[in-house]
Amino acid sequence: MEKTATKSRKKSVSKDDFKLAYIDHVLTHGTNPASVFAFAKALKSTEAEYYTFFNSFKALERTIWTDWFDQTIKTIEEDPAYAEYTVREKLLGFYFTWLEVLRNNRSFVLKRFEEISRKELNPYFLEGVHPHFKAYVNDLITEGKDTTEVAERPFTNQYEKAFWLHFLFITRFWVNDDSSDFEKTDAAIEKSVNLAFDLVGKGPLDSMLDFAKFLFQNK
C-alpha cells in the first residue's frame, strides 16, 4: 500500500524547471505565458508551487539573469590565476566569461534586448544584476586604488555608474555583433577596457588637478 502511494505522489517542479520552461515558452511562442496558472498547469504543477519560488514572471526573469551573473563570477573566481590578475585583467576576464555564459542562451538574450530602447539604462530584466555588478565593480575599484591602477579623485564614487554603462555597452555590442566567433566584440572589450583604465588611472588630468590645487593653496 505504501509503495502505491509513493508511486502516485506527484513529482514536484523545481525552481530550475520553471526557469528553463519559461525561456522555452518565450522563445517558442514569442511572448510571456498568458498567466501563472496556465504556465504551471503546462508543467503539471500549480500556482501555489510556482509562488514558492517567484511572485511574478518579472521576478522569475530577474532571477534568470542574476543566476547568469553569479555563474560568471563563480567561473572566474574558480580560476586560480584570477587572484593574481591586475584589476584591468580581472575586468577583461569578467566580460569574456559573462558573454560566454550568455552565448548558451543567445536567442533569449537577443529577444530581450530587441524589445527595449537603446536608451534604456536599467532594463527590467537586469534589475537583479545591477546591485551585484555594482558590488563587484566597487571591489575592483577599491583594489585598483590599492594597486594605484585607479586614481583617487573627487568623483571616484561615480565610477560605478560609468562602469554600469560600460557593462550595458559591451552586452549590447555583443547582441548586435554578426562577426565570426564574435571577433568584433572581443576587440571592443579589449579596447574599451583599456581605455576605461587609462581614464581612471593616474595621468595628465591628475597632474593638472594637482597643479591647480597647488596654485589655489599658494595664491
Side-chain angles (χ1 to χ4, degrees):
M1 188 76 173
E2 190 176 335
K3 272 188 175 181
T4 307
T6 303
K7 281 183 180 179
S8 62
R9 190 178 299 150
K10 183 177 74 67
K11 181 183 176 183
S12 63
V13 178
S14 72
K15 188 175 184 179
D16 285 341
D17 290 335
F18 278 121
K19 288 187 292 184
L20 291 172
Y22 175 81
I23 292 173
D24 182 79
H25 186 285
V26 169
L27 293 178
T28 302
H29 301 282
T31 186
N32 288 0
S35 67
V36 170
F37 172 79
F39 178 60
K41 184 179 180 181
L43 292 176
K44 294 182 170 46
S45 180
T46 63
E47 284 187 277
E49 189 167 35
Y50 176 89
Y51 287 124
T52 61
F53 302 115
F54 314 103
N55 60 18
S56 66
F57 287 132
K58 280 192 174 183
L60 184 157
E61 186 146 349
R62 283 194 295 268
T63 300
I64 288 171
W65 289 82
T66 304
D67 285 350
W68 290 340
F69 182 88
D70 291 343
Q71 182 183 342
T72 300
I73 298 298
K74 184 173 183 289
T75 300
I76 58 178
E77 290 184 344
E78 284 178 345
D79 181 353
Y82 179 78
E84 305 303 319
Y85 286 173
T86 64
V87 173
R88 185 187 302 236
E89 290 169 339
K90 285 180 177 178
L91 190 60
L92 283 168
F94 165 81
Y95 279 127
F96 286 125
T97 307
W98 165 247
L99 297 182
E100 201 59 41
V101 170
L102 292 192
R103 186 191 287 222
N104 295 326
N105 290 278
R106 182 169 167 82
S107 295
F108 185 76
V109 175
L110 262 57
K111 177 164 180 54
R112 283 305 182 235
F113 272 92
E114 287 167 358
E115 292 171 347
I116 62 169
S117 165
R118 293 185 64 84
K119 296 178 181 178
E120 178 60 67
L121 301 182
N122 291 292
Y124 73 89
F125 48 86
L126 291 178
E127 288 173 355
V129 170
H130 196 173
H132 288 252
F133 178 83
K134 178 180 175 180
Y136 172 70
V137 85
N138 275 330
D139 284 345
L140 290 187
I141 291 168
T142 299
E143 183 181 340
K145 290 177 185 176
D146 292 339
T147 61
T148 70
E149 289 179 79
V150 175
E152 182 70 69
R153 297 187 179 117
F155 47 84
T156 305
N157 60 352
Q158 299 299 309
Y159 284 168
E160 67 181 45
K161 296 179 182 176
F163 277 110
W164 174 248
L165 296 180
H166 185 241
F167 170 80
L168 291 176
F169 162 74
I170 291 296
T171 307
R172 287 181 189 277
F173 193 98
W174 177 79
V175 163
N176 294 307
D177 188 3
D178 59 0
S179 64
S180 176
D181 202 27
F182 305 107
E183 292 172 352
K184 290 181 181 177
T185 299
D186 289 348
I189 291 172
E190 291 184 10
K191 291 179 185 299
S192 62
V193 168
N194 285 335
L195 173 60
F197 277 93
D198 286 345
L199 292 173
V200 301
K202 196 165 181 64
L205 174 61
D206 298 280
S207 299
M208 291 170 61
L209 291 172
D210 287 343
F211 184 58
K213 183 179 179 182
F214 169 79
L215 291 178
F216 178 78
Q217 290 173 341
N218 294 277
K219 63 181 179 179

